[in-house]
Amino acid sequence: MKVLVLGAGGNFGKAAAEAFAASGHEVTRFRRGGDMVAAARGQDVIVNGLNPPKYHDWAHLIPAITAEVSAAARASGAMLIVPGNVYTYGVQPGVWGPGTAQVPCSRKGAIRVQMERDYRALSEQGVKVAILRAGDFVGDGPGTIWRMVMLKTPGTVAVLGRGKRAYGYLPDLGRLAVRLAEARESLPAFTDLPFAGFTLSAEDIAQRIEALTGQQQRLGGFPWWLMTLASPFWELARELREMRYLYDHSHSLDPAPVQALFPDFRATPLDVVLREHLPGHSAMVTQTGR
């Protein structure tokens, strides 16, 4: 299988490229500035890992990326796999899944709803599309929340809000992208596949780290007040502040669709993922057998 990965240097794109290569598939990493339509010719699958860094100018850049990727998929006939997020659901209660109405409560959520509508319309034109949806990315990525903020300081878990939040481990998402691609002939024109991952509060994370390491964890604060002060002149602060509600509004993703489609798929255990985020602790964890 030939796979074109767009944005292979980013979180999702990198994980997908590595997973496809590890599974023995031929991977082409698209270089920004190239001819995407030309690069897509002869490919069986396109993975769209493109996303404006640091939430920059989503209102203009997301539609532009969507249009360019759609043109490449139409020209090549390749299946398209796109990472989805939870911004589309707003603050609805309950477990979120394919049957949940998309009623965003943020500007970025509305942008993502329109993006998914555009991809659904593409699927009605003969291109198979799969949205692989997850909460906040965790793992070995350049901008993942555990590395950048929550577990940045050893012995401290930063508390960004009161709720339980959904997290998706990037290598697991990469493996699911491979499974979707390999099953493409049997999939419907449009697939919305949520990956449940982990649903955790900051307190849950701290307690699990304590059990793994035997070291007490402090719950630290996060300077949302600084984000408010900086918002008028710092784009990232303004965009992060808009999404603060997701740290207070408890939410989770439905595990049933993955179980139904790939009953043999096993997500990486939480303890394994946490060990990757705890430099200096791995040897002790291994020695103690925890």
Side-chain angles (χ1 to χ4, degrees):
M1 182 167 57
K2 294 182 178 180
V3 184
L4 177 66
V5 179
L6 315 176
N11 287 322
F12 183 84
K14 179 175 181 288
E18 291 175 350
F20 276 102
S23 297
H25 300 295
E26 183 179 334
V27 177
T28 299
R29 293 166 171 81
F30 178 74
R31 293 186 177 183
R32 289 181 184 269
D35 186 333
M36 192 181 295
V37 170
R41 292 194 183 103
Q43 301 290 331
D44 299 302
V45 176
I46 299 172
V47 177
N48 178 20
L50 292 172
N51 202 45
K54 300 180 180 179
Y55 289 127
H56 175 63
D57 197 14
W58 268 33
H60 295 98
L61 294 179
I62 292 288
I65 290 171
T66 302
E68 186 178 13
V69 172
S70 296
R74 273 194 299 268
S76 66
M79 177 193 185
L80 179 60
I81 299 175
V82 182
N85 62 26
V86 298
Y87 300 1
T88 59
Y89 299 129
V91 290
Q92 297 179 86
V95 178
W96 296 336
T100 305
Q102 296 196 333
V103 285
C105 63
S106 68
R107 181 177 52 86
K108 287 192 289 298
I111 292 169
R112 296 291 295 209
V113 167
Q114 184 58 53
M115 182 196 81
E116 292 190 17
R117 287 174 180 165
D118 291 341
Y119 283 130
R120 187 179 287 272
L122 178 66
S123 74
E124 296 168 356
Q125 299 169 25
V127 176
K128 282 200 175 182
V129 177
I131 303 291
L132 179 52
R133 192 181 307 279
D136 248 356
F137 292 151
V138 295
D140 186 21
T144 53
I145 190 67
W146 286 4
R147 292 196 186 280
M148 286 186 65
V149 180
M150 295 186 69
L151 304 180
K152 183 178 180 180
T153 304
T156 299
V157 178
V159 180
L160 279 72
R162 302 182 302 273
K164 289 181 179 286
R165 186 176 173 97
Y167 296 97
Y169 183 49
L170 286 163
D172 286 347
L173 289 165
R175 290 192 295 121
L176 277 173
V178 173
R179 297 295 298 271
L180 282 166
E182 292 175 341
R184 64 191 182 281
E185 298 298 333
S186 62
L187 293 176
F190 186 85
T191 300
D192 182 348
L193 186 67
F195 173 55
F198 311 117
T199 302
L200 302 163
S201 66
E203 290 80 3
D204 294 334
I205 295 171
Q207 290 172 9
R208 193 60 221 153
I209 293 174
E210 288 178 356
L212 279 170
T213 66
Q215 298 178 2
Q216 185 172 1
Q217 300 295 300
R218 187 178 74 87
L219 295 174
F222 181 77
W224 284 112
W225 60 272
L226 182 59
M227 299 295 104
T228 300
L229 290 177
S231 289
F233 51 86
W234 185 17
E235 182 184 41
L236 179 58
R238 181 177 66 251
E239 300 302 325
L240 287 173
R241 185 167 169 259
E242 181 189 44
M243 307 314 295
R244 178 179 181 177
Y245 77 92
L246 277 170
Y247 289 98
D248 286 323
H249 179 70
S250 291
H251 59 274
S252 62
L253 287 166
D254 188 0
V258 167
Q259 293 171 358
L261 193 58
F262 306 121
D264 61 333
F265 182 83
R266 296 293 179 266
T268 304
L270 174 60
D271 288 358
V272 173
V273 178
L274 283 174
R275 287 184 183 115
E276 290 186 11
H277 292 76
L278 299 174
H281 290 312
S282 57
M284 178 182 64
V285 171
T286 301
Q287 290 169 6
T288 58
R290 287 179 171 153

